[in-house]
Amino acid sequence: MVRGIEAELAELPSLTVGQLREKFVEVFGEPTNSRHKDWLVKRIAWRIQANAFGGLSERALARAKELANEADLRIMAPKQAKASAGSVTKVVACPVDSRVPPPGSVISRDYKGKKLLVTVLVDGFEFEGEKFTSLTAIAKKATGQHWNGFGFFGLLKEGKK
């Protein structure tokens, strides 16, 4: 019997995903949605061995129940909020760059005794009544020198200054 199981287990990796799905139904008695070959092989191999030699020990089952009782498990996915009648769902475009604050935010920087205020727009930035497409252009206008705009305004992530 052990030899037959060993041969059956050795054969599993050579089966196609379709064959593994059929085998899954055979050993579990229910279909699976998975098409992940490695996962199917492991699950089927475990089940074949559990059917032949017994599943988890009583001690292991008790421990699993104990762990499950302590954990806050979500059994069902959260319900999605339904839109009320007359409401409109709209996708708002946000800047792609995660370093840029959301539109409407004001970025400030003190530079040589002057406070520089930049308003973030959906499609750029506003500085002193002028529209810019990059913070680098604003930094250059304010200082007369080339700067990395994110670095100049302190928007670089930690470790990248």
Side-chain angles (χ1 to χ4, degrees), residues 136-159:
T136 299
I138 295 170
K140 186 169 187 173
K141 179 174 181 169
T143 65
Q145 298 178 359
H146 179 77
W147 285 81
N148 176 320
F150 294 109
F152 182 77
F153 286 101
L155 299 175
L156 289 177
K157 294 181 180 175
E158 291 295 319

Short mmCIF file of all heavy atoms in Angstrom, two decimals, residues 136-159:
data_model
loop_
_atom_site.label_atom_id
_atom_site.label_comp_id
_atom_site.label_asym_id
_atom_site.label_seq_id
_atom_site.Cartn_x
_atom_site.Cartn_y
_atom_site.Cartn_z
N THR A 136 10.78 71.16 -10.26
CA THR A 136 12.14 71.55 -10.66
C THR A 136 12.12 72.92 -11.33
O THR A 136 12.97 73.77 -11.05
CB THR A 136 12.73 70.49 -11.60
OG1 THR A 136 12.78 69.24 -10.90
CG2 THR A 136 14.11 70.86 -12.08
N ALA A 137 11.14 73.16 -12.19
CA ALA A 137 11.04 74.45 -12.87
C ALA A 137 10.77 75.56 -11.87
O ALA A 137 11.31 76.68 -12.00
CB ALA A 137 9.94 74.39 -13.93
N ILE A 138 9.97 75.27 -10.86
CA ILE A 138 9.69 76.28 -9.83
C ILE A 138 10.94 76.58 -9.02
O ILE A 138 11.28 77.73 -8.75
CB ILE A 138 8.55 75.80 -8.92
CG1 ILE A 138 7.26 75.67 -9.72
CG2 ILE A 138 8.36 76.76 -7.74
CD1 ILE A 138 6.13 74.99 -8.98
N ALA A 139 11.67 75.52 -8.64
CA ALA A 139 12.90 75.71 -7.88
C ALA A 139 13.91 76.51 -8.68
O ALA A 139 14.59 77.39 -8.14
CB ALA A 139 13.48 74.35 -7.49
N LYS A 140 13.97 76.26 -9.97
CA LYS A 140 14.91 77.00 -10.82
C LYS A 140 14.50 78.46 -10.93
O LYS A 140 15.33 79.36 -10.87
CB LYS A 140 14.98 76.37 -12.21
CG LYS A 140 16.04 77.00 -13.09
CD LYS A 140 16.26 76.21 -14.34
CE LYS A 140 17.44 76.80 -15.10
NZ LYS A 140 17.83 76.00 -16.23
N LYS A 141 13.20 78.69 -11.05
CA LYS A 141 12.74 80.08 -11.14
C LYS A 141 13.01 80.82 -9.83
O LYS A 141 13.43 81.97 -9.83
CB LYS A 141 11.25 80.14 -11.45
CG LYS A 141 10.75 81.57 -11.51
CD LYS A 141 9.35 81.70 -11.95
CE LYS A 141 9.04 83.21 -11.96
NZ LYS A 141 7.85 83.55 -12.56
N ALA A 142 12.79 80.16 -8.69
CA ALA A 142 12.96 80.81 -7.40
C ALA A 142 14.42 81.05 -7.04
O ALA A 142 14.74 82.04 -6.39
CB ALA A 142 12.29 79.96 -6.31
N THR A 143 15.30 80.15 -7.48
CA THR A 143 16.70 80.25 -7.05
C THR A 143 17.65 80.67 -8.16
O THR A 143 18.76 81.10 -7.89
CB THR A 143 17.19 78.88 -6.52
OG1 THR A 143 17.19 77.93 -7.60
CG2 THR A 143 16.32 78.39 -5.38
N GLY A 144 17.22 80.48 -9.39
CA GLY A 144 18.10 80.78 -10.51
C GLY A 144 19.07 79.64 -10.80
O GLY A 144 19.92 79.76 -11.67
N GLN A 145 18.94 78.57 -10.07
CA GLN A 145 19.83 77.42 -10.28
C GLN A 145 18.99 76.16 -10.46
O GLN A 145 17.84 76.10 -10.05
CB GLN A 145 20.74 77.23 -9.06
CG GLN A 145 21.66 78.40 -8.82
CD GLN A 145 22.51 78.18 -7.57
OE1 GLN A 145 22.39 77.16 -6.89
NE2 GLN A 145 23.37 79.14 -7.28
N HIS A 146 19.65 75.17 -11.04
CA HIS A 146 18.94 73.90 -11.22
C HIS A 146 18.92 73.14 -9.91
O HIS A 146 19.94 72.99 -9.25
CB HIS A 146 19.62 73.04 -12.29
CG HIS A 146 18.94 71.73 -12.48
ND1 HIS A 146 17.76 71.61 -13.17
CD2 HIS A 146 19.23 70.49 -12.01
CE1 HIS A 146 17.38 70.35 -13.15
NE2 HIS A 146 18.25 69.65 -12.45
N TRP A 147 17.74 72.68 -9.54
CA TRP A 147 17.54 71.85 -8.34
C TRP A 147 16.66 70.68 -8.72
O TRP A 147 15.83 70.79 -9.63
CB TRP A 147 16.77 72.63 -7.26
CG TRP A 147 17.56 73.67 -6.53
CD1 TRP A 147 17.85 74.92 -6.94
CD2 TRP A 147 18.11 73.53 -5.23
NE1 TRP A 147 18.55 75.59 -6.00
CE2 TRP A 147 18.73 74.76 -4.91
CE3 TRP A 147 18.14 72.51 -4.30
CZ2 TRP A 147 19.37 74.97 -3.71
CZ3 TRP A 147 18.78 72.75 -3.10
CH2 TRP A 147 19.40 73.95 -2.82
N ASN A 148 16.79 69.63 -7.96
CA ASN A 148 15.78 68.58 -8.01
C ASN A 148 14.58 69.15 -7.25
O ASN A 148 14.69 69.46 -6.07
CB ASN A 148 16.31 67.31 -7.35
CG ASN A 148 15.26 66.20 -7.29
OD1 ASN A 148 14.10 66.46 -7.03
ND2 ASN A 148 15.70 64.99 -7.51
N GLY A 149 13.47 69.28 -7.92
CA GLY A 149 12.30 69.91 -7.30
C GLY A 149 11.81 69.20 -6.05
O GLY A 149 11.46 69.84 -5.06
N PHE A 150 11.80 67.89 -6.08
CA PHE A 150 11.35 67.14 -4.91
C PHE A 150 12.33 67.33 -3.76
O PHE A 150 11.94 67.48 -2.61
CB PHE A 150 11.20 65.66 -5.24
CG PHE A 150 10.10 65.39 -6.22
CD1 PHE A 150 10.41 64.99 -7.52
CD2 PHE A 150 8.78 65.54 -5.87
CE1 PHE A 150 9.41 64.75 -8.43
CE2 PHE A 150 7.77 65.29 -6.78
CZ PHE A 150 8.08 64.90 -8.07
N GLY A 151 13.62 67.35 -4.07
CA GLY A 151 14.62 67.57 -3.03
C GLY A 151 14.55 68.98 -2.49
O GLY A 151 14.64 69.20 -1.27
N PHE A 152 14.37 69.96 -3.36
CA PHE A 152 14.30 71.35 -2.94
C PHE A 152 13.14 71.58 -1.98
O PHE A 152 13.26 72.30 -1.00
CB PHE A 152 14.17 72.26 -4.17
CG PHE A 152 14.14 73.72 -3.83
CD1 PHE A 152 15.31 74.39 -3.50
CD2 PHE A 152 12.95 74.43 -3.83
CE1 PHE A 152 15.29 75.74 -3.18
CE2 PHE A 152 12.91 75.77 -3.52
CZ PHE A 152 14.09 76.43 -3.19
N PHE A 153 11.99 70.97 -2.28
CA PHE A 153 10.82 71.17 -1.43
C PHE A 153 10.68 70.10 -0.35
O PHE A 153 9.68 70.02 0.34
CB PHE A 153 9.55 71.21 -2.29
CG PHE A 153 9.43 72.50 -3.05
CD1 PHE A 153 9.77 72.57 -4.39
CD2 PHE A 153 9.02 73.66 -2.42
CE1 PHE A 153 9.68 73.75 -5.09
CE2 PHE A 153 8.93 74.86 -3.11
CZ PHE A 153 9.26 74.90 -4.45
N GLY A 154 11.69 69.25 -0.19
CA GLY A 154 11.70 68.26 0.90
C GLY A 154 10.69 67.14 0.71
O GLY A 154 10.16 66.61 1.68
N LEU A 155 10.43 66.74 -0.53
CA LEU A 155 9.45 65.69 -0.79
C LEU A 155 10.07 64.35 -1.13
O LEU A 155 9.35 63.40 -1.43
CB LEU A 155 8.51 66.12 -1.93
CG LEU A 155 7.71 67.38 -1.67
CD1 LEU A 155 6.93 67.76 -2.90
CD2 LEU A 155 6.78 67.19 -0.49
N LEU A 156 11.39 64.27 -1.07
CA LEU A 156 12.02 62.99 -1.34
C LEU A 156 11.78 62.06 -0.18
O LEU A 156 11.67 62.48 0.96
CB LEU A 156 13.52 63.15 -1.57
CG LEU A 156 13.92 63.82 -2.87
CD1 LEU A 156 15.42 63.99 -2.90
CD2 LEU A 156 13.47 63.00 -4.06
N LYS A 157 11.70 60.79 -0.47
CA LYS A 157 11.53 59.80 0.58
C LYS A 157 12.81 59.71 1.38
O LYS A 157 13.87 60.11 0.93
CB LYS A 157 11.16 58.45 -0.02
CG LYS A 157 9.82 58.48 -0.67
CD LYS A 157 9.47 57.14 -1.24
CE LYS A 157 8.10 57.24 -1.88
NZ LYS A 157 7.71 56.05 -2.55
N GLU A 158 12.70 59.14 2.59
CA GLU A 158 13.86 58.97 3.46
C GLU A 158 14.99 58.27 2.73
O GLU A 158 14.77 57.31 2.02
CB GLU A 158 13.49 58.17 4.70
CG GLU A 158 12.57 58.91 5.64
CD GLU A 158 13.20 60.14 6.25
OE1 GLU A 158 14.38 60.09 6.63
OE2 GLU A 158 12.51 61.18 6.31
N GLY A 159 16.18 58.78 2.91
CA GLY A 159 17.35 58.14 2.34
C GLY A 159 17.64 58.57 0.91
O GLY A 159 18.66 58.22 0.36
#
